[in-house]
Each structure stands twice: as structure tokens, then as C-alpha cells.
Amino acid sequence: MNTEPFPPDVHSWIPATGHALRHAGIHFDAVRIAAPLAERVASELMRCTDFDAGPIVRELTGERSHYFLLPPQTVSPYAWPPGVRALTRGDRGLAYVGVPALTGITWPLDWRSTPTVEAPFVERELMREVVGRVAGVVT
């Protein structure tokens, strides 16, 4: 397992400080899941990937949703179970996701799992399989 964070200059959408809104479907697609299902999915992804799952952003307030960041234009072909929402560029409007910096004060967001050289994004097939298994549905 490589614990070195992904170089911030490679993913230009990661802010240097604080946090910023980024357009889903351009920089990445996102799968948004609210707690407690989100934490179970994140834990299972971490276990399956030897703790190198790729970028997972966690909200620290409200629904405590997690945003699993996948390569752009990869989440819309799937039918996600109830409580799981695909955020991408599409006809239904624009979606923005808050992205924290890799270090420093980023409240109310933080990284549950950071992007690394080996895992610049969450792997889409694994994400689909884990969500289906944890949510108790066949995907």
C-alpha cells in the first residue's frame, strides 16, 4: 500500500487550502451516500483495497454524506439503489461537490480516503459491487 498522497498539482481540482466547489462530470463523477450507509460502504471499500480506495470526501455536519469520486462520465450508466445518488454532468442539471484541501483546516469537509498514485479515483466496478452488497441489493 502506498500511503503517499496524490500530488496536488496532478489533480488541479484539489484546492491548495480550505475547500472549494467542483463541477461533477468534468473533474470527476461522484456517488453521494448519506450516513450510516456511507460509512459502511467506505469501510468496506477501504478493506477491499488495503486502505487505498481512492478519493472519498466526508461531510462533518448535516447528513454526514460521503462523496465517492470516480473518473468523469462513469457513474450514470448504473441504476444505484435508494439512498445512493449519482452526481455527474447531465440533462437533470448541474451538480457541485465540495472538495477539501489535502492538508490544513477544511471543516466542514475532510478526506475519508485521499487520492494516491495507485488510486487517483475510486474504482467504479468495485464501488458498484460494494454498494450493492452493503445496501443489500443486486446491482
Side-chain angles (χ1 to χ4, degrees), residues 1-7 49-53 113-119:
M1 171 180 85
N2 180 0
T3 58
E4 292 296 313
F6 201 73
T49 60
D50 198 24
F51 297 91
D52 196 13
S113 174
T114 59
T116 63
V117 173
E118 287 80 14

Side-chain angles (χ1 to χ4, degrees), residues 20-105:
L21 291 177
R22 299 295 186 227
H23 190 186
I26 293 178
H27 305 289
F28 50 78
D29 278 0
V31 175
R32 181 180 69 201
I33 307 173
L37 178 61
E39 189 55 44
R40 293 193 314 265
V41 169
S43 293
E44 183 65 11
L45 279 171
M46 297 293 282
R47 187 190 66 74
C48 290
T49 60
D50 198 24
F51 297 91
D52 196 13
I56 303 170
V57 175
R58 171 173 53 189
E59 289 179 335
L60 302 173
T61 61
E63 290 186 340
R64 298 187 183 273
S65 294
H66 288 44
Y67 296 82
F68 301 81
L69 307 184
L70 289 79
Q73 306 301 305
T74 58
V75 302
S76 58
Y78 301 119
W80 298 93
V84 178
R85 180 162 181 219
L87 302 173
T88 189
R89 190 176 188 179
D91 295 335
R92 291 186 277 160
L94 303 176
Y96 291 88
V97 174
V99 176
L102 292 172
T103 60
I105 298 171

Side-chain angles (χ1 to χ4, degrees), residues 37 40-41 43-45 47-48 81 125-139:
L37 178 61
R40 293 193 314 265
V41 169
S43 293
E44 183 65 11
L45 279 171
R47 187 190 66 74
C48 290
E125 291 301 323
L126 179 61
M127 177 71 186
R128 189 180 119 161
E129 186 271 323
V130 167
V131 167
R133 184 167 17 101
V134 172
V137 296
V138 177
T139 60

